[in-house]
Amino acid sequence: MGQDIEDPKFEILKIGPCAYRKLIVPDALKFKCDGNNYRYEDEEEDEEERELDDQMTYEGDEWVLRLPIVAVFHRFIVGSRARTKQRIELESGARITVPHRENQEDAIYLRARQKNHIYSAKAQIELLCEKEEPKLEYTHFLSVPLAHDARFRQQVDKFREDVILQRFEGIDSSIFMPSRRMHITLCMLKLHSHAQVEEMKQALEEAKARIAATAEFARPLVASLKGLHIMTDDPTSVSVVFTTDRASALQHRMNNLADLMFNILKARGLVTAQNLMAQRLLSSDGAHAEVKLHATLMNTKYSRAYPREDGSRGDRAMIDASTLMETFAGVDFGAVRLGEIQLSCLEEMGEDGYYRSLYSLPLCDQQSFG
């Protein structure tokens, strides 16, 4: 006979002058607490395997977790007048200890009597850091150097001289990329600690092994750079002029390499899909890499024509490049070998005038060039 809890049955129970209805509970009725299935909520949490439990230590009467957080994020966790820190502590039930600024320790400490309070604070802090990450400045980048080719450098220098002689309005020598720094940018990076830089080198070491194992590694990689191109559709309002190779085979191969590298960097937490999307390095659905191969020739952010009062460079200006594009539409910078990817710091230059390399990995077998 099945249970019918919607039509309960009662018996009348008389106690003295009063009569009471007593619910008749069927013997077959199953309760959640029957047998050994019932657990107190706290017991379930205690028995559940948590990813960071083995990293917590018990000090005094509370649990302590050292949470790796790059020091540059600490100011966001504290917030104005420590309000953000206080809010997270109130909502999570955990205490947050942020090392003094002079210590530059890439970690914070979470303390609570219950582990779930620490996990709550950790989740809130990670969401906060993800939200604030776009505010951080780029420090490093991955590039494919072009400046190693002497003939290419000569062509770039000749182009600059020819353009300056034309005396186009708004264009002067200050907006040209020096030929010794010519490159193709693959990805901008935010590496704000020595540990992150070392992690990046390990990621590139992994990428190096995986690229060398591909069938395409045995084939040479060459770009035929010609023509002038802009980032928008309006040549009358331009901030960047670049040259490129629009061959679909080259684009496909570089996108495959970028996919491999981006997956490694994302897995190690060195970049996020959100950041790659912001750099326009992924397809619209974020499923795969779509790197815009461009070698910047002119960039108005370097212009000396619009300085601030303190002498520093001003805001990015726009130039009318329509006549420039028409005059030099057929410019050909020649074929350049794409031999390697370099990790560089934005502010450090090597003795050869190119960005100082912190790590490099070959894009193809150097013997394939013949």
Side-chain angles (χ1 to χ4, degrees):
M1 180 177 177
Q3 302 174 183
D4 189 357
I5 60 175
E6 294 184 358
D7 184 21
K9 292 180 172 54
F10 300 89
E11 65 175 315
I12 303 299
L13 181 64
K14 290 187 177 182
I15 301 178
C18 301
Y20 301 90
R21 289 200 307 168
K22 178 183 177 183
L23 176 66
I24 298 175
V25 180
D27 294 337
L29 184 63
K30 299 294 184 182
F31 290 94
K32 291 183 178 180
C33 58
D34 284 351
N36 296 322
N37 295 328
Y38 180 74
R39 294 285 190 278
Y40 286 105
E41 184 177 347
D42 288 345
E43 290 178 353
E44 283 188 342
E45 290 184 357
D46 289 342
E47 294 179 3
E48 185 180 353
E49 188 72 24
R50 304 296 285 270
E51 58 178 333
L52 298 177
D53 279 4
D54 59 346
Q55 298 181 30
M56 295 186 194
T57 58
Y58 197 72
E59 301 177 5
D61 61 348
E62 61 185 3
W63 292 100
V64 180
L65 173 67
R66 182 184 185 274
L67 183 64
I69 297 288
V70 181
V72 72
F73 282 106
H74 291 181
R75 60 189 174 98
F76 299 121
I77 297 171
V78 175
S80 176
R81 299 182 180 180
R83 288 174 181 168
T84 303
K85 174 176 173 289
Q86 292 169 3
R87 175 181 59 78
I88 296 175
E89 289 177 331
L90 182 63
E91 294 177 357
S92 67
R95 291 189 299 113
I96 304 171
T97 302
V98 179
H100 292 296
R101 185 176 301 176
E102 57 268 20
N103 292 343
Q104 286 295 304
E105 183 178 358
D106 292 319
I108 62 172
Y109 294 84
L110 305 180
R111 304 171 186 273
R113 292 187 175 182
Q114 297 183 35
K115 292 180 179 179
N116 62 321
H117 293 173
I118 289 179
Y119 279 101
S120 175
K122 173 181 177 290
Q124 292 189 55
I125 289 169
E126 289 175 340
L127 285 173
L128 175 65
C129 291
E130 183 177 342
K131 175 185 174 184
E132 301 293 347
E133 188 270 342
K135 297 179 181 179
L136 299 182
E137 297 290 334
Y138 287 109
T139 59
H140 298 72
F141 70 111
L142 294 175
S143 70
V144 180
L146 304 174
H148 61 83
D149 189 304
R151 181 180 176 279
F152 174 71
R153 292 200 310 270
Q154 291 173 0
Q155 292 296 107
V156 170
D157 289 336
K158 182 178 183 304
F159 168 74
R160 182 185 69 249
E161 293 168 3
D162 290 345
V163 172
I164 293 174
L165 287 174
Q166 295 288 329
R167 297 184 179 275
F168 294 113
E169 183 178 354
I171 297 178
D172 61 43
S173 60
S174 67
I175 71 173
F176 287 84
M177 173 71 76
S179 60
R180 289 192 173 275
R181 297 185 195 174
M182 290 296 297
H183 64 275
I184 294 174
T185 301
L186 290 184
C187 179
M188 302 295 292
L189 300 165
K190 299 179 180 182
L191 308 177
H192 288 274
S193 71
H194 177 72
Q196 284 185 310
V197 173
E198 291 304 309
E199 179 75 16
M200 187 69 201
K201 291 178 181 178
Q202 293 177 21
L204 295 178
E205 186 71 25
E206 179 182 349
K208 177 180 179 180
R210 292 177 59 180
I211 291 173
T214 64
E216 291 182 326
F217 186 73
R219 294 167 42 215
L221 195 56
V222 178
S224 296
L225 302 170
K226 60 182 65 175
L228 299 183
H229 308 272
I230 58 177
M231 297 292 186
T232 65
D233 297 326
D234 183 7
T236 66
S237 182
V238 173
S239 61
V240 174
V241 177
F242 64 92
T243 187
T244 189
D245 182 338
R246 289 190 165 180
S248 58
L250 175 64
Q251 184 70 61
H252 179 71
R253 184 169 173 182
M254 292 301 294
N255 282 340
N256 286 342
L257 289 168
D259 262 331
L260 184 153
M261 296 189 63
F262 293 166
N263 288 336
I264 293 175
L265 301 188
K266 286 189 291 184
R268 290 175 175 263
L270 293 166
V271 296
T272 63
Q274 177 186 8
N275 180 262
L276 293 174
M277 287 291 285
Q279 295 187 59
R280 299 180 181 178
L281 298 176
L282 300 180
S283 57
S284 57
D285 60 1
H288 54 83
E290 282 189 3
V291 178
K292 191 177 186 70
L293 299 179
H294 66 282
T296 299
L297 295 164
M298 305 162 66
N299 193 329
T300 61
K301 76 176 182 179
Y302 303 129
S303 177
R304 291 193 294 264
Y306 303 94
R308 297 189 180 94
E309 292 182 0
D310 61 1
S312 63
R313 288 169 177 162
D315 296 330
R316 186 189 294 264
M318 295 293 179
I319 59 173
D320 183 347
S322 52
T323 306
L324 168 72
M325 303 286 288
E326 293 173 5
T327 306
F328 293 91
V331 64
D332 189 343
F333 296 96
V336 183
R337 296 177 177 180
L338 308 183
E340 63 180 4
I341 294 175
Q342 285 192 8
L343 168 66
S344 302
C345 179
L346 285 171
E347 303 299 329
E348 296 182 16
M349 299 297 162
E351 295 181 358
D352 60 356
Y354 191 73
Y355 301 91
R356 185 171 72 88
S357 175
L358 302 179
Y359 187 92
S360 64
L361 66 153
L363 284 172
C364 58
D365 188 343
Q366 301 303 302
Q367 295 182 355
S368 64
F369 290 119

